[in-house]
Amino acid sequence: MIYLKKFFEEHKIISIEIVVCKAIESFFILLCAKFLTDLISTMNPEFFPPAILFFVLKFFAGMFEERKFSVLSVEVQKSLRKKIHEKLFDREMSGGELFTILFDTMKTLDDFFVKVAPNLVALPILLPIFLAAAAVKDFTTAIILLVTLPIAPLLLYLTGKATAEKNSRALSELQKLNGEFKEILSATVTLKIFDRINPAAKKLKAASKKSSAATLDVLKFAFVSSFMLELLTTLSIALVAVTLGLRLVSGNAEFESALFLLLITPEFFAPIRRAGTAFHILISAKESIERLKKFFAEESPESPEKIEKLLVPPEISLEKVSFVYPQKKSPALREISVKFPAGKISCIVGESGSGKTTLLKILAGLYLPTDGEIFFNDLPAKKFRRESLFEKIAYMPQSPHLFDTSLEENFSFFNLLDDKNLPELLKSLDLNFPDLSAKQKLSRGQIQRSGFIRVLLKDKSILILDEPTAGLDEITEKKFLKLLKDFSLRRTVIIASHRRPVIEIADFVVNLEVAEF
């Protein structure tokens, strides 16, 4: 299980708090069993309160441990999602692969942290403590526990390879299903026009059946292995109980010791019994970790040579840049060659479908050109570290996104931006919000202006704006453009727009034509 060991070490899953908490929980179980034994053997009610107390303390220790793993799960998923999102800019991948990694893989890891990781931590801590306690009370019983203990892990090892193979097939089928669903969903209008909805639905149904069958195979194996493990642990507990009963009848064991051992034996086997329930999750987690490892290890198309510094504001040049969307044959852009001057406002104009938005996304680094090259101050974009390039670019899409949180966090991008100029910017665009610390429903024009303010607060040397004044009235548009003009000093600004006022303030205009087929 080397892959799990490395994963645990990398994400600091086994912490001192968890180990101590698990050890304390095991001692609470032993003390609770001790006082229950004294209560039953002496019928003295004085032993009842401490037994209940230690039972409650054991319950709270388990809650604390569960909370620690839940928080850890969230932190690891956030870290992995951030790495995945950064990696997405560096490579192309199918929709099915992306959906599987972002959603199903993360869900599997969450199940791993909540159901499997606590059990893996419990095994090396609880078992030695309970085994030592059993040896102190009765050495024969401790030998029985020690001999029957390896049977369950051996069974899990034997079923592990077959389960892993079936789980890999299930993930592959699920990835295909995700890809089919995304493809059909994106082409719904075209399929409807050409009356191909029913064949597409049949194709999706067939993929769904294959995915369901593969998943059912995994569940069947998980059920059988869980049943066998449950049966083996039950027989082991029964063996201890029968042995103690016979020895009690023959007078070779004390009642108090036998009762204590009978109380802790189910707890001794409890982590192993839970391991059977969580075994298929463990196999799925292995596949998910291997999938993530492969995803992160794949080479980026960037050149190994990197240049950190970029003189600002830069001149941006495109040389025969073309772009074709995945699974499309016709190019959205064809051999575009243009220079955007440094420290100036450039406006891209053209008919709908000419590729203005696509070009802006390429300039912002969200898309990589299929062919051609982009230069910043005569240096190829591929020679820059992508993170250093992103640090200098602020991009505003046609429809800025408003997060489901307070306006203050929306403007400051969750406290990542310096918002000391926020009141002045809000005033300049006639945005009067009584309470920035609250959530508010904004109109299209307010969202548009709020997105622009967020871009300005980023204070980048390259501003890329896609139809920034769409939906604004004439007076608001004038204020918007005045603010843009003031902020454009010592910045390279590139705008896509069909609005005449926007074109008039531009220092340089690029007319983009629809790509010819």
PDB file of all heavy atoms in Angstrom, residues 248-273:
ATOM      1  N   LEU A 248     -14.978 -21.573  31.932  1.00  0.00           N
ATOM      2  CA  LEU A 248     -15.720 -21.177  33.129  1.00  0.00           C
ATOM      3  C   LEU A 248     -16.373 -22.390  33.788  1.00  0.00           C
ATOM      4  O   LEU A 248     -16.367 -22.553  35.024  1.00  0.00           O
ATOM      5  CB  LEU A 248     -16.792 -20.144  32.771  1.00  0.00           C
ATOM      6  CG  LEU A 248     -16.372 -18.677  32.762  1.00  0.00           C
ATOM      7  CD1 LEU A 248     -17.506 -17.802  32.226  1.00  0.00           C
ATOM      8  CD2 LEU A 248     -15.971 -18.206  34.153  1.00  0.00           C
ATOM      9  N   VAL A 249     -16.965 -23.260  32.973  1.00  0.00           N
ATOM     10  CA  VAL A 249     -17.630 -24.458  33.500  1.00  0.00           C
ATOM     11  C   VAL A 249     -16.632 -25.382  34.190  1.00  0.00           C
ATOM     12  O   VAL A 249     -16.911 -25.962  35.250  1.00  0.00           O
ATOM     13  CB  VAL A 249     -18.362 -25.200  32.355  1.00  0.00           C
ATOM     14  CG1 VAL A 249     -18.884 -26.561  32.840  1.00  0.00           C
ATOM     15  CG2 VAL A 249     -19.515 -24.368  31.837  1.00  0.00           C
ATOM     16  N   SER A 250     -15.425 -25.491  33.594  1.00  0.00           N
ATOM     17  CA  SER A 250     -14.400 -26.373  34.176  1.00  0.00           C
ATOM     18  C   SER A 250     -13.642 -25.721  35.320  1.00  0.00           C
ATOM     19  O   SER A 250     -12.805 -26.372  35.950  1.00  0.00           O
ATOM     20  CB  SER A 250     -13.422 -26.806  33.082  1.00  0.00           C
ATOM     21  OG  SER A 250     -12.739 -25.674  32.551  1.00  0.00           O
ATOM     22  N   GLY A 251     -13.868 -24.427  35.551  1.00  0.00           N
ATOM     23  CA  GLY A 251     -13.206 -23.729  36.656  1.00  0.00           C
ATOM     24  C   GLY A 251     -11.823 -23.225  36.337  1.00  0.00           C
ATOM     25  O   GLY A 251     -11.059 -22.875  37.246  1.00  0.00           O
ATOM     26  N   ASN A 252     -11.483 -23.136  35.035  1.00  0.00           N
ATOM     27  CA  ASN A 252     -10.150 -22.657  34.639  1.00  0.00           C
ATOM     28  C   ASN A 252     -10.124 -21.169  34.289  1.00  0.00           C
ATOM     29  O   ASN A 252      -9.111 -20.677  33.791  1.00  0.00           O
ATOM     30  CB  ASN A 252      -9.648 -23.453  33.429  1.00  0.00           C
ATOM     31  CG  ASN A 252      -9.378 -24.906  33.791  1.00  0.00           C
ATOM     32  OD1 ASN A 252      -8.982 -25.209  34.910  1.00  0.00           O
ATOM     33  ND2 ASN A 252      -9.628 -25.802  32.831  1.00  0.00           N
ATOM     34  N   ALA A 253     -11.213 -20.451  34.522  1.00  0.00           N
ATOM     35  CA  ALA A 253     -11.263 -19.010  34.229  1.00  0.00           C
ATOM     36  C   ALA A 253     -12.145 -18.318  35.255  1.00  0.00           C
ATOM     37  O   ALA A 253     -13.085 -18.921  35.809  1.00  0.00           O
ATOM     38  CB  ALA A 253     -11.804 -18.770  32.816  1.00  0.00           C
ATOM     39  N   GLU A 254     -11.826 -17.066  35.539  1.00  0.00           N
ATOM     40  CA  GLU A 254     -12.618 -16.280  36.475  1.00  0.00           C
ATOM     41  C   GLU A 254     -13.753 -15.576  35.731  1.00  0.00           C
ATOM     42  O   GLU A 254     -13.613 -15.180  34.570  1.00  0.00           O
ATOM     43  CB  GLU A 254     -11.732 -15.232  37.157  1.00  0.00           C
ATOM     44  CG  GLU A 254     -10.632 -15.841  38.015  1.00  0.00           C
ATOM     45  CD  GLU A 254      -9.776 -14.773  38.680  1.00  0.00           C
ATOM     46  OE1 GLU A 254     -10.074 -13.572  38.454  1.00  0.00           O
ATOM     47  OE2 GLU A 254      -8.836 -15.124  39.390  1.00  0.00           O
ATOM     48  N   PHE A 255     -14.855 -15.390  36.445  1.00  0.00           N
ATOM     49  CA  PHE A 255     -16.035 -14.779  35.815  1.00  0.00           C
ATOM     50  C   PHE A 255     -15.763 -13.341  35.379  1.00  0.00           C
ATOM     51  O   PHE A 255     -16.144 -12.933  34.273  1.00  0.00           O
ATOM     52  CB  PHE A 255     -17.219 -14.812  36.810  1.00  0.00           C
ATOM     53  CG  PHE A 255     -18.422 -14.087  36.294  1.00  0.00           C
ATOM     54  CD1 PHE A 255     -19.234 -14.636  35.321  1.00  0.00           C
ATOM     55  CD2 PHE A 255     -18.739 -12.810  36.774  1.00  0.00           C
ATOM     56  CE1 PHE A 255     -20.347 -13.968  34.839  1.00  0.00           C
ATOM     57  CE2 PHE A 255     -19.843 -12.128  36.307  1.00  0.00           C
ATOM     58  CZ  PHE A 255     -20.654 -12.715  35.338  1.00  0.00           C
ATOM     59  N   GLU A 256     -15.121 -12.551  36.262  1.00  0.00           N
ATOM     60  CA  GLU A 256     -14.865 -11.147  35.932  1.00  0.00           C
ATOM     61  C   GLU A 256     -13.975 -11.018  34.690  1.00  0.00           C
ATOM     62  O   GLU A 256     -14.246 -10.200  33.800  1.00  0.00           O
ATOM     63  CB  GLU A 256     -14.203 -10.418  37.116  1.00  0.00           C
ATOM     64  CG  GLU A 256     -15.101 -10.209  38.310  1.00  0.00           C
ATOM     65  CD  GLU A 256     -15.175 -11.442  39.192  1.00  0.00           C
ATOM     66  OE1 GLU A 256     -14.508 -12.464  38.858  1.00  0.00           O
ATOM     67  OE2 GLU A 256     -15.905 -11.408  40.203  1.00  0.00           O
ATOM     68  N   SER A 257     -12.922 -11.821  34.622  1.00  0.00           N
ATOM     69  CA  SER A 257     -12.032 -11.752  33.460  1.00  0.00           C
ATOM     70  C   SER A 257     -12.748 -12.181  32.188  1.00  0.00           C
ATOM     71  O   SER A 257     -12.600 -11.555  31.124  1.00  0.00           O
ATOM     72  CB  SER A 257     -10.803 -12.651  33.680  1.00  0.00           C
ATOM     73  OG  SER A 257     -10.059 -12.220  34.800  1.00  0.00           O
ATOM     74  N   ALA A 258     -13.549 -13.254  32.272  1.00  0.00           N
ATOM     75  CA  ALA A 258     -14.276 -13.740  31.096  1.00  0.00           C
ATOM     76  C   ALA A 258     -15.275 -12.702  30.600  1.00  0.00           C
ATOM     77  O   ALA A 258     -15.402 -12.474  29.376  1.00  0.00           O
ATOM     78  CB  ALA A 258     -14.990 -15.045  31.437  1.00  0.00           C
ATOM     79  N   LEU A 259     -15.993 -12.070  31.549  1.00  0.00           N
ATOM     80  CA  LEU A 259     -16.977 -11.054  31.155  1.00  0.00           C
ATOM     81  C   LEU A 259     -16.286  -9.852  30.506  1.00  0.00           C
ATOM     82  O   LEU A 259     -16.763  -9.315  29.490  1.00  0.00           O
ATOM     83  CB  LEU A 259     -17.774 -10.607  32.388  1.00  0.00           C
ATOM     84  CG  LEU A 259     -18.861  -9.574  32.139  1.00  0.00           C
ATOM     85  CD1 LEU A 259     -19.884 -10.072  31.130  1.00  0.00           C
ATOM     86  CD2 LEU A 259     -19.550  -9.193  33.457  1.00  0.00           C
ATOM     87  N   PHE A 260     -15.169  -9.425  31.094  1.00  0.00           N
ATOM     88  CA  PHE A 260     -14.420  -8.296  30.526  1.00  0.00           C
ATOM     89  C   PHE A 260     -13.956  -8.617  29.099  1.00  0.00           C
ATOM     90  O   PHE A 260     -14.089  -7.790  28.185  1.00  0.00           O
ATOM     91  CB  PHE A 260     -13.218  -7.983  31.425  1.00  0.00           C
ATOM     92  CG  PHE A 260     -12.315  -6.895  30.888  1.00  0.00           C
ATOM     93  CD1 PHE A 260     -12.652  -5.562  31.037  1.00  0.00           C
ATOM     94  CD2 PHE A 260     -11.140  -7.230  30.226  1.00  0.00           C
ATOM     95  CE1 PHE A 260     -11.816  -4.561  30.534  1.00  0.00           C
ATOM     96  CE2 PHE A 260     -10.312  -6.236  29.721  1.00  0.00           C
ATOM     97  CZ  PHE A 260     -10.653  -4.908  29.879  1.00  0.00           C
ATOM     98  N   LEU A 261     -13.439  -9.839  28.900  1.00  0.00           N
ATOM     99  CA  LEU A 261     -12.957 -10.235  27.575  1.00  0.00           C
ATOM    100  C   LEU A 261     -14.096 -10.331  26.563  1.00  0.00           C
ATOM    101  O   LEU A 261     -13.942  -9.969  25.394  1.00  0.00           O
ATOM    102  CB  LEU A 261     -12.217 -11.564  27.662  1.00  0.00           C
ATOM    103  CG  LEU A 261     -10.880 -11.517  28.408  1.00  0.00           C
ATOM    104  CD1 LEU A 261     -10.345 -12.911  28.655  1.00  0.00           C
ATOM    105  CD2 LEU A 261      -9.860 -10.693  27.632  1.00  0.00           C
ATOM    106  N   LEU A 262     -15.259 -10.800  27.008  1.00  0.00           N
ATOM    107  CA  LEU A 262     -16.412 -10.872  26.119  1.00  0.00           C
ATOM    108  C   LEU A 262     -16.893  -9.482  25.699  1.00  0.00           C
ATOM    109  O   LEU A 262     -17.403  -9.288  24.590  1.00  0.00           O
ATOM    110  CB  LEU A 262     -17.559 -11.629  26.800  1.00  0.00           C
ATOM    111  CG  LEU A 262     -17.438 -13.152  26.846  1.00  0.00           C
ATOM    112  CD1 LEU A 262     -18.592 -13.761  27.645  1.00  0.00           C
ATOM    113  CD2 LEU A 262     -17.429 -13.730  25.431  1.00  0.00           C
ATOM    114  N   LEU A 263     -16.720  -8.490  26.579  1.00  0.00           N
ATOM    115  CA  LEU A 263     -17.133  -7.117  26.254  1.00  0.00           C
ATOM    116  C   LEU A 263     -16.181  -6.442  25.269  1.00  0.00           C
ATOM    117  O   LEU A 263     -16.617  -5.663  24.409  1.00  0.00           O
ATOM    118  CB  LEU A 263     -17.234  -6.283  27.544  1.00  0.00           C
ATOM    119  CG  LEU A 263     -18.410  -6.613  28.479  1.00  0.00           C
ATOM    120  CD1 LEU A 263     -18.297  -5.822  29.784  1.00  0.00           C
ATOM    121  CD2 LEU A 263     -19.745  -6.278  27.801  1.00  0.00           C
ATOM    122  N   ILE A 264     -14.876  -6.731  25.380  1.00  0.00           N
ATOM    123  CA  ILE A 264     -13.920  -6.027  24.506  1.00  0.00           C
ATOM    124  C   ILE A 264     -13.653  -6.777  23.200  1.00  0.00           C
ATOM    125  O   ILE A 264     -13.119  -6.181  22.257  1.00  0.00           O
ATOM    126  CB  ILE A 264     -12.577  -5.755  25.223  1.00  0.00           C
ATOM    127  CG1 ILE A 264     -11.807  -7.058  25.478  1.00  0.00           C
ATOM    128  CG2 ILE A 264     -12.791  -4.973  26.508  1.00  0.00           C
ATOM    129  CD1 ILE A 264     -10.366  -6.833  25.905  1.00  0.00           C
ATOM    130  N   THR A 265     -13.993  -8.072  23.123  1.00  0.00           N
ATOM    131  CA  THR A 265     -13.722  -8.829  21.892  1.00  0.00           C
ATOM    132  C   THR A 265     -14.448  -8.252  20.676  1.00  0.00           C
ATOM    133  O   THR A 265     -13.840  -8.095  19.603  1.00  0.00           O
ATOM    134  CB  THR A 265     -14.081 -10.316  22.080  1.00  0.00           C
ATOM    135  OG1 THR A 265     -13.261 -10.866  23.109  1.00  0.00           O
ATOM    136  CG2 THR A 265     -13.849 -11.095  20.787  1.00  0.00           C
ATOM    137  N   PRO A 266     -15.753  -7.912  20.766  1.00  0.00           N
ATOM    138  CA  PRO A 266     -16.395  -7.271  19.603  1.00  0.00           C
ATOM    139  C   PRO A 266     -15.737  -5.955  19.205  1.00  0.00           C
ATOM    140  O   PRO A 266     -15.647  -5.631  18.016  1.00  0.00           O
ATOM    141  CB  PRO A 266     -17.843  -7.048  20.075  1.00  0.00           C
ATOM    142  CG  PRO A 266     -18.047  -8.053  21.157  1.00  0.00           C
ATOM    143  CD  PRO A 266     -16.728  -8.174  21.841  1.00  0.00           C
ATOM    144  N   GLU A 267     -15.253  -5.187  20.212  1.00  0.00           N
ATOM    145  CA  GLU A 267     -14.564  -3.931  19.909  1.00  0.00           C
ATOM    146  C   GLU A 267     -13.214  -4.198  19.246  1.00  0.00           C
ATOM    147  O   GLU A 267     -12.757  -3.405  18.423  1.00  0.00           O
ATOM    148  CB  GLU A 267     -14.369  -3.114  21.197  1.00  0.00           C
ATOM    149  CG  GLU A 267     -15.643  -2.597  21.826  1.00  0.00           C
ATOM    150  CD  GLU A 267     -16.305  -1.532  20.968  1.00  0.00           C
ATOM    151  OE1 GLU A 267     -15.616  -0.923  20.123  1.00  0.00           O
ATOM    152  OE2 GLU A 267     -17.515  -1.310  21.130  1.00  0.00           O
ATOM    153  N   PHE A 268     -12.591  -5.319  19.608  1.00  0.00           N
ATOM    154  CA  PHE A 268     -11.312  -5.690  18.997  1.00  0.00           C
ATOM    155  C   PHE A 268     -11.489  -5.950  17.501  1.00  0.00           C
ATOM    156  O   PHE A 268     -10.663  -5.545  16.677  1.00  0.00           O
ATOM    157  CB  PHE A 268     -10.751  -6.930  19.702  1.00  0.00           C
ATOM    158  CG  PHE A 268      -9.480  -7.466  19.097  1.00  0.00           C
ATOM    159  CD1 PHE A 268      -8.262  -6.893  19.394  1.00  0.00           C
ATOM    160  CD2 PHE A 268      -9.516  -8.537  18.205  1.00  0.00           C
ATOM    161  CE1 PHE A 268      -7.083  -7.387  18.834  1.00  0.00           C
ATOM    162  CE2 PHE A 268      -8.351  -9.033  17.639  1.00  0.00           C
ATOM    163  CZ  PHE A 268      -7.134  -8.451  17.957  1.00  0.00           C
ATOM    164  N   PHE A 269     -12.580  -6.647  17.159  1.00  0.00           N
ATOM    165  CA  PHE A 269     -12.823  -6.978  15.756  1.00  0.00           C
ATOM    166  C   PHE A 269     -13.609  -5.906  15.006  1.00  0.00           C
ATOM    167  O   PHE A 269     -13.788  -6.033  13.781  1.00  0.00           O
ATOM    168  CB  PHE A 269     -13.576  -8.315  15.654  1.00  0.00           C
ATOM    169  CG  PHE A 269     -12.725  -9.519  15.937  1.00  0.00           C
ATOM    170  CD1 PHE A 269     -12.831 -10.204  17.141  1.00  0.00           C
ATOM    171  CD2 PHE A 269     -11.807  -9.963  15.008  1.00  0.00           C
ATOM    172  CE1 PHE A 269     -12.043 -11.307  17.405  1.00  0.00           C
ATOM    173  CE2 PHE A 269     -11.012 -11.077  15.256  1.00  0.00           C
ATOM    174  CZ  PHE A 269     -11.125 -11.749  16.464  1.00  0.00           C
ATOM    175  N   ALA A 270     -14.081  -4.873  15.713  1.00  0.00           N
ATOM    176  CA  ALA A 270     -14.908  -3.838  15.067  1.00  0.00           C
ATOM    177  C   ALA A 270     -14.186  -3.137  13.915  1.00  0.00           C
ATOM    178  O   ALA A 270     -14.775  -2.955  12.838  1.00  0.00           O
ATOM    179  CB  ALA A 270     -15.377  -2.818  16.108  1.00  0.00           C
ATOM    180  N   PRO A 271     -12.899  -2.699  14.068  1.00  0.00           N
ATOM    181  CA  PRO A 271     -12.220  -2.052  12.925  1.00  0.00           C
ATOM    182  C   PRO A 271     -12.106  -2.974  11.708  1.00  0.00           C
ATOM    183  O   PRO A 271     -12.210  -2.515  10.572  1.00  0.00           O
ATOM    184  CB  PRO A 271     -10.834  -1.699  13.489  1.00  0.00           C
ATOM    185  CG  PRO A 271     -11.016  -1.656  14.965  1.00  0.00           C
ATOM    186  CD  PRO A 271     -12.047  -2.687  15.272  1.00  0.00           C
ATOM    187  N   ILE A 272     -11.917  -4.273  11.957  1.00  0.00           N
ATOM    188  CA  ILE A 272     -11.798  -5.216  10.842  1.00  0.00           C
ATOM    189  C   ILE A 272     -13.146  -5.396  10.158  1.00  0.00           C
ATOM    190  O   ILE A 272     -13.246  -5.494   8.937  1.00  0.00           O
ATOM    191  CB  ILE A 272     -11.248  -6.564  11.349  1.00  0.00           C
ATOM    192  CG1 ILE A 272      -9.886  -6.338  12.017  1.00  0.00           C
ATOM    193  CG2 ILE A 272     -11.138  -7.569  10.214  1.00  0.00           C
ATOM    194  CD1 ILE A 272      -9.325  -7.550  12.690  1.00  0.00           C
ATOM    195  N   ARG A 273     -14.222  -5.451  10.942  1.00  0.00           N
ATOM    196  CA  ARG A 273     -15.562  -5.587  10.359  1.00  0.00           C
ATOM    197  C   ARG A 273     -15.907  -4.350   9.530  1.00  0.00           C
ATOM    198  O   ARG A 273     -16.486  -4.455   8.451  1.00  0.00           O
ATOM    199  CB  ARG A 273     -16.595  -5.798  11.467  1.00  0.00           C
ATOM    200  CG  ARG A 273     -16.368  -7.068  12.251  1.00  0.00           C
ATOM    201  CD  ARG A 273     -17.263  -7.181  13.454  1.00  0.00           C
ATOM    202  NE  ARG A 273     -18.620  -7.575  13.088  1.00  0.00           N
ATOM    203  CZ  ARG A 273     -19.543  -7.925  13.977  1.00  0.00           C
ATOM    204  NH1 ARG A 273     -19.252  -7.915  15.266  1.00  0.00           N
ATOM    205  NH2 ARG A 273     -20.741  -8.267  13.583  1.00  0.00           N
TER     206      ARG A 273
END
